Amino acid sequence: MSGNAREQKADHIRHLLETEGDAVEANTLGFNDGRYESVADLEDYEGLKSEARAIKEDAIERLPALIDELTETVEANGGTVYLADDAADANRYIREVASEKEAERLVKSKSMTSEELEVNEALDADGVDVVETDLGEWVLQVADEAPSHIVAPAIHKSKDEIARLFNEQFDPEEPLETAEELTMFARDRLGELIADADIGMTGANFITADSGSLMLVTSEGNARKSAVVPDTHVAVAGVEKIVPSVEDLSPFIELIGRSGTGQDITSYISLLTPPVDSPVVDPDDPDVAFADRDDDRDFHLVLIDNGRMAMREDDQLKETLYCIRCSACANTCGNFQSVGGHAFGGETYTGGIATGWEAGVHSQESAAEFNDLCTGCSRCVEACPVEIDIPWINTVVRDRINREGDDGRFEFVYDELVPDEEETGTIDLQKRLFGNYETLAKLGSATAPLSNWTAGLEPVRSFLERTAGIDRRRALPAFERETLVDWFEARGPRVSAADAEREAVLYPDTYTNYIDVDRGKAAVRVLEAMDVHVRIPAVSESGRAPLSQGMIATADAKASRVYAALAEHLDAGRDIVVIEPSDLAMFHREYEKLLPEASFERLRAGSYEVIEYVYGCLENGANGARLRTGDGGPEIAYHSHCQQRTMGVDRYTRAVFEALNYDVLESDVECCGMAGSFGYKQEYYELSMDVGDRLADQFSAPDAQNRLVVASGTSCEDQLEDLLERDAAHPVEVLDPRSRLR
């Protein structure tokens, strides 16, 4: 990416932060908080998610047969099915239906698939008046704007903005001000338009192959009206919406509303088997009783391929088709919470899962516009009701985008300074540098303190910003001349293997080994206080850095080297202890994609986050009095790491602090906004800081401002120090018997 492109992206993000950010933040945080509360009421939330995923897996696996079954069922019911190859094919068919009906007006309920087709524009070209009947979609139609959210399309607009829009566009007798007035105005106006429509169009959340039934999940009654008031109903849906039977709908009914908007059940769940038997509403002929009407209804189901069948054959994009369009991945994403879908989205789709959809149904170029906004924090993994590994899909698409690039300007630099496993000359310099951070860290450590002094010079910072987009406002890490591995080799273990309760290998992640060596030393002392014999071998970087930049080949090579180095210790029954949660996440999650199954399972079973390991030692009789306790320690303001939460190991830090009598105020913020290299990138600096402000506000409150700031992740520590202008520490440094933290 050129400097001009970075500045344009930064300007766009800055504009959205200023104009839409407050509304998006308030609404997404509300949805996300509601999700936490609502799913807590489910007896077996994880079981429901697994059941829903199994249904989708099965449906996609036998999709061609289900399409045939659904076609036969709908036609037996009296409807028509058209399988459209792409958007143009679908629009051609829909236009033909409108022409045959001599339709002057078509009313639509909310449908992302119709947005994908751009059916409104196609019908408008034929003179058909298309009216959106969903309140949010209608607001955007009046404003001539695109949706910014899969479920709540106008999430970026406040009530006051909508009031100004309606008052300017419609000039009502009395100015509209309250939410109730706006809603009543829209209901009355849209009711009139629906009553006079020739065709109604809906999407479908699910379609059952056995009965031909459509399930429509909405917050308003407009979908039902759009489907049954006109005598012609056109439903548009991607082929992935088909499930085998009506019985399969059960887990989705429980999950979709809770996941999307935090409602225990969505306001309207409509199950229609069209063409329905009800008489057609005719406001121009009100004297004829419904019982005396003899109306024929016409139903057309337009099933859309538009790249989906190719996605089904793509092992990496296939999971995208399991998506039920609930928006949980967007609502839980720190970056989306700040800028919404007008930045974090492509031609149609928004949020974390949008990368897979855009790459599949539009193009990789569309996905490339926003793909880097996914930081791989993994919070969406826990939120997804069908257990899609959304960060991995984003990483795969990022890798493919990298391979499409052709920026060879710095090829000689790549090959000499940051050699890796990627195809040369295809990856942006910024990604290449961050993806090879271990190489830079080794160089910086070997030449410290000169490297630190040089990196702080204004001409150097200006050059890095201009060429690699490393924002000069962000302080660079300071390298240590003596690495953790070197320090430990010179010092040696203080608990012998013969006297130890356990043996552990402390994994020397890049940041701990070359930058925050004190954190590593504290971990050694804490483990030894638990009577653990510690080893610190020289081991390669986990692959997290290249993976975050979409450099899968390099991450794969590093994963193999890490496992080869640790295998002998696993053979000897030693535990692998990891300080940095993002590296543990590699061992527990991403290595499943990079290592043979047996190797992955073995490393996952034998590796632990450092405070999780301390918890285990304490539970098994270790003497906690040897650690620094809360009785003589500071009051703490604590923020857990994103990956740590997704893995479910954050609870061990809480438990250890509680057991050792620490007074802890814990943040409830999903993400600090730093996300490794993300916060250093020029185009995303303002966004990173905006996300972090939510955490800064909490830790600047009166009950937190005098507490020691503690965070489990490297990025979190750096971000908090920048935001609060206070030192931050890792939990293991708090527990260190030699700690002097206050």
Side-chain angles (χ1 to χ4, degrees):
M1 184 185 297
S2 68
N4 286 339
R6 289 193 186 95
E7 188 55 42
Q8 289 175 5
K9 179 163 282 191
D11 286 343
H12 179 55
I13 288 173
R14 195 177 301 116
H15 172 72
L16 292 175
L17 288 172
E18 293 171 355
T19 58
E20 300 181 1
D22 289 345
V24 171
E25 179 180 356
N27 287 309
T28 51
L29 288 175
F31 289 158
N32 200 48
D33 290 344
R35 176 176 63 85
Y36 280 128
E37 293 178 9
S38 183
V39 300
D41 295 334
L42 289 173
E43 184 174 335
D44 186 13
Y45 176 47
E46 295 301 325
L48 275 174
K49 288 163 64 176
S50 296
E51 182 184 356
R53 180 183 173 90
I55 291 168
K56 290 295 290 185
E57 280 184 342
D58 173 63
I60 298 304
E61 186 64 30
R62 49 194 188 100
L63 186 55
L66 291 179
I67 292 173
D68 290 342
E69 180 183 353
L70 175 63
T71 300
E72 293 177 6
T73 303
V74 171
E75 290 177 349
N77 291 343
T80 303
V81 177
Y82 184 75
L83 180 60
D85 293 333
D86 54 26
D89 189 20
N91 286 336
R92 179 193 56 76
Y93 181 83
I94 295 167
R95 291 168 67 185
E96 287 178 357
V97 171
S99 176
E100 290 173 4
K101 297 295 179 180
E102 298 181 348
E104 296 180 1
R105 176 176 296 139
L106 179 147
V107 290
K108 288 175 68 238
S109 66
K110 194 179 82 65
S111 162
M112 290 306 299
T113 306
S114 71
E115 294 283 346
E116 176 188 325
L117 301 178
E118 296 183 340
V119 69
N120 292 24
E121 291 80 357
L123 289 168
D124 183 67
D126 291 345
V128 179
D129 178 26
V130 180
V131 178
E132 298 284 356
T133 64
D134 172 84
L135 178 57
E137 288 283 4
W138 189 55
V139 167
L140 297 185
Q141 187 175 35
V142 172
D144 193 23
E145 293 180 13
S148 61
H149 191 271
I150 289 178
V151 170
I155 198 171
H156 58 287
K157 286 194 172 296
S158 68
K159 172 182 67 66
D160 291 341
E161 288 178 294
I162 296 172
R164 283 195 298 272
L165 174 69
F166 281 11
N167 288 326
E168 290 172 2
Q169 291 291 324
F170 301 113
D171 192 23
E173 293 183 5
E174 295 291 334
L176 304 170
E177 296 179 353
T178 68
E180 182 180 5
E181 289 171 347
L182 292 167
T183 304
M184 294 299 291
F185 175 82
R187 187 184 73 169
D188 292 344
R189 192 172 184 90
L190 289 172
E192 295 172 0
L193 295 171
I194 292 171
D196 196 33
D198 302 296
I199 298 175
M201 178 180 286
T202 69
N205 293 90
F206 303 94
I207 312 173
T208 60
D210 64 341
S211 65
S213 303
L214 312 180
M215 189 169 101
L216 301 175
V217 181
T218 64
S219 295
E220 304 163 25
N222 62 299
R224 293 178 180 176
K225 292 179 180 179
S226 296
V228 303
V229 171
D231 62 4
T232 302
H233 176 195
V234 177
V236 295
V239 291
E240 83 284 356
K241 297 296 185 69
I242 305 172
V243 295
S245 69
V246 173
E247 288 78 10
D248 291 323
L249 299 176
S250 177
F252 301 107
I253 291 173
E254 292 280 8
L255 290 168
I256 192 167
R258 298 176 194 269
S259 300
T261 57
Q263 297 167 276
D264 290 348
I265 191 167
T266 311
S267 302
Y268 293 89
I269 294 181
S270 305
L271 197 62
L272 307 175
T273 305
V276 295
D277 293 330
S278 64
V280 176
V281 175
D282 187 354
D284 294 329
D285 195 7
D287 296 330
V288 179
F290 279 172
D292 297 331
R293 298 187 66 86
D294 183 17
D295 298 308
D296 289 326
R297 285 189 172 275
D298 199 7
F299 172 65
H300 299 262
L301 174 59
V302 184
L303 291 173
I304 315 298
D305 179 352
N306 203 33
R308 287 165 172 79
M309 298 307 281
M311 292 168 69
R312 178 176 173 270
E313 300 301 319
D314 186 325
D315 288 341
Q316 305 299 337
L317 290 186
K318 184 177 183 178
E319 272 195 79
T320 307
L321 298 175
Y322 303 164
C323 171
I324 62 172
R325 311 273 180 87
C326 70
S327 80
C329 59
N331 298 335
T332 196
C333 172
N335 284 341
F336 191 96
Q337 288 167 0
S338 283
V339 293
H342 288 158
F344 205 145
E347 293 183 38
T348 303
Y349 297 102
T350 59
I353 196 63
T355 286
W357 281 119
E358 290 292 319
V361 305
H362 291 307
S363 66
Q364 285 186 180
E365 288 76 17
S366 178
E369 290 298 314
F370 64 94
N371 173 260
D372 284 346
L373 283 168
C374 171
T375 63
C377 76
S378 78
R379 297 303 297 136
C380 55
V381 174
E382 180 183 74
C384 179
V386 282
E387 302 175 334
I388 301 173
D389 192 346
I390 296 169
W392 181 255
I393 292 172
N394 286 329
T395 300
V396 167
V397 173
R398 191 170 301 170
D399 181 77
R400 295 177 182 181
I401 292 166
N402 288 344
R403 295 176 187 279
E404 282 190 349
D406 188 21
D407 183 1
R409 292 174 299 158
F410 298 97
E411 187 170 339
F412 68 97
V413 179
Y414 300 156
D415 293 340
E416 296 300 323
L417 294 183
V418 285
D420 52 39
E421 304 298 323
E422 307 301 315
E423 298 176 9
T424 55
T426 61
I427 302 177
D428 180 80
L429 174 60
Q430 183 189 74
K431 291 185 178 181
R432 200 80 179 233
L433 290 174
F434 283 125
N436 288 281
Y437 188 68
E438 182 183 28
T439 302
L440 300 178
K442 288 179 180 178
L443 179 63
S445 176
T447 58
L450 178 62
S451 58
N452 298 324
W453 176 78
T454 303
L457 296 175
E458 179 57 30
V460 174
R461 295 307 308 268
S462 178
F463 175 78
L464 288 173
E465 186 174 84
R466 187 171 63 255
T467 58
I470 300 174
D471 200 288
R472 71 179 77 189
R473 291 167 289 185
R474 184 73 74 174
L476 297 176
F479 300 107
E480 294 287 340
R481 184 60 175 262
E482 183 182 47
T483 68
L484 177 65
V485 171
D486 292 341
W487 170 81
F488 189 78
E489 184 177 333
R491 170 191 181 270
R494 297 297 167 84
V495 177
S496 70
D499 297 332
E501 290 292 326
R502 301 191 69 86
E503 281 194 89
V505 173
L506 184 63
Y507 174 69
D509 65 86
T510 300
Y511 196 88
T512 304
N513 194 35
Y514 297 105
I515 299 165
D516 196 352
V517 178
D518 286 343
R519 179 172 74 173
K521 293 177 181 179
V524 170
R525 290 190 287 266
V526 166
L527 292 174
E528 290 179 340
M530 302 284 96
D531 287 326
V532 176
H533 175 70
V534 179
R535 296 169 181 257
I536 307 183
V539 185
S540 173
E541 190 264 333
S542 69
R544 170 62 63 191
L547 197 73
S548 71
Q549 308 304 314
M551 298 165 59
I552 294 178
T554 301
D556 184 87
K558 287 183 178 290
S560 296
R561 288 196 286 271
V562 168
Y563 182 76
L566 296 178
E568 63 175 291
H569 299 290
L570 293 168
D571 289 342
R574 299 177 188 124
D575 303 314
I576 311 301
V577 177
V578 184
I579 298 174
E580 180 58 41
S582 60
D583 289 302
L584 184 69
M586 287 291 289
F587 296 173
H588 283 210
R589 296 187 67 254
E590 284 83 4
Y591 274 18
E592 184 176 12
K593 307 289 198 305
L594 305 175
L595 292 178
E597 182 179 359
S599 300
F600 162 69
E601 293 291 352
R602 192 160 175 247
L603 181 55
R604 179 170 66 173
S607 55
Y608 308 88
E609 191 262 342
V610 62
I611 306 300
E612 174 192 12
Y613 196 74
V614 170
Y615 173 86
C617 290
L618 292 173
E619 287 292 293
N620 285 279
N623 187 358
R626 296 177 183 176
L627 301 176
R628 190 189 190 200
T629 67
D631 298 327
E635 294 182 337
I636 291 170
Y638 173 62
H639 176 68
S640 58
H641 187 277
C642 301
Q643 302 275 7
Q644 190 184 24
R645 296 183 192 189
T646 301
M647 291 183 288
V649 299
D650 56 318
R651 64 183 184 271
Y652 297 113
T653 304
R654 288 193 293 272
V656 169
F657 278 148
E658 181 178 347
L660 297 177
N661 298 319
Y662 281 93
D663 183 332
V664 180
L665 172 69
E666 187 172 1
S667 82
D668 57 6
V669 175
E670 290 283 344
C671 182
C672 74
M674 187 66 180
S677 62
F678 183 81
Y680 288 98
K681 295 180 179 180
Q682 180 187 9
E683 59 270 38
Y684 303 127
Y685 175 79
E686 280 93 350
L687 173 55
S688 171
M689 297 300 280
D690 186 81
V691 174
D693 280 342
R694 292 191 275 275
L695 182 56
D697 288 345
Q698 189 169 6
F699 281 0
S700 298
D703 60 342
Q705 58 187 1
N706 294 322
R707 292 174 178 261
L708 174 66
V709 176
V710 178
S712 292
T714 295
S715 300
C716 310
E717 288 185 55
D718 290 345
Q719 179 78 317
L720 283 164
E721 288 180 348
D722 283 353
L723 288 164
L724 301 174
E725 298 182 350
R726 292 154 59 187
D727 289 337
H730 188 280
V732 79
E733 295 178 273
V734 178
L735 305 182
D736 181 3
R738 291 173 52 182
S739 174
R740 287 174 170 75
L741 294 172
R742 288 286 181 267

